[in-house]
Structures are given as C-alpha cells and as structure tokens.
Amino acid sequence: MHREHLVPVGSMLVLFTVSRIWGWESGVRFDATTVETFWQILDPTLLKEHLLQSIWYLHGQPPLYNLLLGVDLKVFGPHFATVAHGAQVAIGVAIGISLYVLLFVNGVSRWWAAAVASLLVVSPAMLIYENWLFYEYLVAVLLLLTTLAFVGFQRRPTTGRSFAIFAALAVLCYVRSSFQIVLLLAVLGLMLILFPEQRRIILIGAAIPFVLVVGLYLKNWALFGTPSTSSWTGMNLMQVALNGLSDHDRQVLGGRRVLSPVSLAGTFQPLAAYQGLLPAARPRGIPVLDETTKPASGAPNLNNIEYVAISQRQLHDFLRLLVNDPAPYLDGVGTGLELAGTPSDEYWDADTNRAHIATWAHVFDTGVLWQPRLYAADGQTYGTAWGIVVGYLAALIFGAVEFVRAIRRRGGSATLAFVWLLLAYVAFVVTFGEVAENQRIRFSVDPLAIILVSALGARVVSRVRRAPGDIV
C-alpha cells in the first residue's frame, strides 16, 4: 500500500478498533450458539467425532463452512468460539480495507473512500454479524476478494490471477448454496468478452475451480440424486410459495391435488411432520444421515436422508403450483422484497446483541439508511429503510449501464461490470428463492452496492467539476 493511503486507512482502522471496544463495553458478545441450533450447521458432536464422514455425506449444504467449523472444534475444543471470533474480527478488517481499495480504484478519492468504508465498519450490522458465528461475514469478504482478484487480472492478466478469480468463486460455491456453477459460467462468459485476447489464460486459470465445483455436483448426484450443492432447493422454493397462501387456500390446492400432503405439512419441519407421507428411507448406518435431531439442542437434523425425498416432492409440487397459479409464489416474492428493504441488524437472531447497541442502531438506521421511526411493541424500529431501496435501485441501474457499455466496448468500466454481475446474481437468487431472511442475506452484498453507488457519485462530482461555466 502506498504511503498516501496509510493515514486514511489507519484512520478507518482506528474507528474500527474503537467501535469494537465500545461494543464490548456496551455488552456485545460473540454468539456461537448457531453451532447447536442452526439447520445449516451439523451437530457439533458429529463434526468432532465423524468429521470427514459427515462432510462427505452432507447434502443439505455445501461442505466447506461445516468443514472449517469441524476443524475448529476438533483442534481447539472448548476454545473454538474464541478462535472463531478472532477469525471474524480479521474478516471485518479485511472487509474494511478491501472496500477502501475497491472504492479508490473506481474513482472515489482517498478520504471519501476511507469515510465510506469507516461508515460500513462501524455500522450496527457489522458489529452484530461480526459477533455472530455464521457464514454471512465470510461470504461478504469472499465477494470483495473476488473483485480484487478481478482488478488484479485487469491490470496484468496472468493464468494465476485468472485462477484466483475462479478459485474465490469456487470457494463461494463450497460455502453457500446460493452460489452455483451458473455464476462461474456467467463470469467466464463476461471475461471472455471483455478480454478476448486473453482467452487461453482465462480458460486455463478457470479449469481447476470448475472441476472442483463440478466434482461436488457429481458427488451429490451419485449419492443423493441431486446434481447441486444443496438438496433443499424444493423446500426453499416451496417456502416462498406457501408464504403467499392462507390455510384455506392450501387446503383447496391440496383438494385439487396441486399440493401433495408433503407440501401441506410445511417446509423445514421436524421429520415427525412428514411421517407416513413418503416411503421411509432405510437406515444407512451413517449418523449424519440417520439422526433425526441434533443431540446437542434437539433441533431437527435437516441432513437426514429423508429430507432429500421431501425436498424433491416439494420441488415437484412447486413447479405444478407455478403452472396452475403463480400468484402465491409472486406474493411470497413480494414479501421477500419488502424484508430485503429492512436493515440487516433487524434480523431476528441478532436481537440480543442489537439490544445492547439499540440507540446506535436507531440513529444509524434512521439517519443513514432513512428508515422511518416506526416502533414495534418491544421498542425496536421496523419498516422499509428507503436508503437501502434507493441505493440498490441506483446500484443496479448504474451497474447495468456500465455492464452493457463494457461488453459493447463503449467505455464502460470492466470492474464495475464485474461488481454488477455479482450483485445482480445474488439479488436475483435472493429475490426469487428466499422469503424469510432476505435482509440477512443482503448483508453480504451490501459492500458491492456501496461500490457502485459511490462510483456513480464520484462520476457525477467529476463531471460537475469539469462542466464549463457556473451552475445555477
């Protein structure tokens, strides 16, 4: 890093440090209870005692995040949460520095870049998600690192830098089921268009990451009949559709045999809810596939082999519902969009830590994110944050223009086109595939939206300064 950046970045890191100390003094503590309760995380006993077997037979989620947690649990035992917290803090620093660099290379001045990055790192959402053991923080930094790798490739194309881009994308596919091989294909297509003279090194660099992702698909297809990184696609989509249906409507659709009893029983339910609705799967003698609950907490083990057939049945029902009457699904999509417009710190599982910084959350969400001061019974704000809505609309529209200009070679920024592609992909997947946790998932791509909006602002300011004459 050049000397000219040391003071702005150093100032941001000082604010980062002060905010973490203040958060601790205010009562914010690292929450690792997700290991025991969250569906996406395997039972900690299995991760410690049957790590490789459990990871191999994991079908509900991509394997990497559970593998990292399992290694942490096996190596550090009762101190695993301390190590995980340290890793989260390091990721927070990386998010701040990466955002600063990407803002600067996209035309934002040093001090404005530092100010914007500082605002993000001290935000209530960053304080909360940094102290919450889940993969949102990891996904956020991986998206930024992928973009930095693209910037590096653009400046000096090499096979290694091509590999870095696609390796980061492959890691995303191995961490979170929202990321699928279609994103790698989209990025590959974009890069082949933007850098036609570098096609050979792009393809060579992409080869191994593609093989790794395809290998995961083939493994799940061979073992479970699901050529994807997750077997939960049917349950995810049906959850969106069911959200738009009243109990009466569900029964009517069940009577018309549009929805099967498996779908009427709901999504992501304990296995008892589906008992007798599908042929019972034979025990495999593999704990991660046979156990019905997570012993540590009693939460459902959604990696039980039964859920493969449940999700496939619900995917079939979802497609039939979509053909017969798409309105409930579209209603669910609308509900998800409304939720996506709320601050990420208002996610339900963050209530405990948010309560300790409630005043700061109210100030930030109202003043920065333009959320009206509407109060729920527990005193917390709620409702649409119009800064998020306006910001994302500006980011997606401006990014789309840059994307089209770049691929048509009319002066568009290749980096901004790349950022827009990542943001648009996640926005599409979240919009049409999620209904209950959209604000949590949006957190991971907020830095990408910030890059696009800041680049737009910097470009507007630059053009105003270059405009001849006075502006009245």
Side-chain angles (χ1 to χ4, degrees), residues 95-178:
I95 288 173
I97 294 175
S98 299
L99 180 60
Y100 170 87
V101 172
L102 289 168
L103 290 170
F104 180 77
V105 300
N106 282 290
V108 182
S109 67
R110 286 176 295 144
W111 281 105
W112 272 113
V116 172
S118 296
L119 198 60
L120 176 66
V121 299
V122 302
S123 67
M126 281 281 287
L127 286 167
I128 288 169
Y129 284 68
E130 187 175 294
N131 285 280
W132 186 54
L133 185 58
F134 203 47
Y135 48 53
E136 300 302 347
Y137 227 46
L138 178 58
V139 170
V141 77
L142 284 170
L143 287 167
L144 291 172
L145 294 177
T146 305
T147 307
L148 286 174
F150 181 87
V151 171
F153 179 88
Q154 185 181 10
R155 292 186 173 183
R156 186 165 65 87
T158 65
T159 301
R161 295 185 178 196
S162 171
F163 172 79
I165 295 169
F166 289 98
L169 291 171
V171 171
L172 282 165
C173 290
Y174 268 72
V175 168
R176 185 176 186 157
S177 60
S178 299

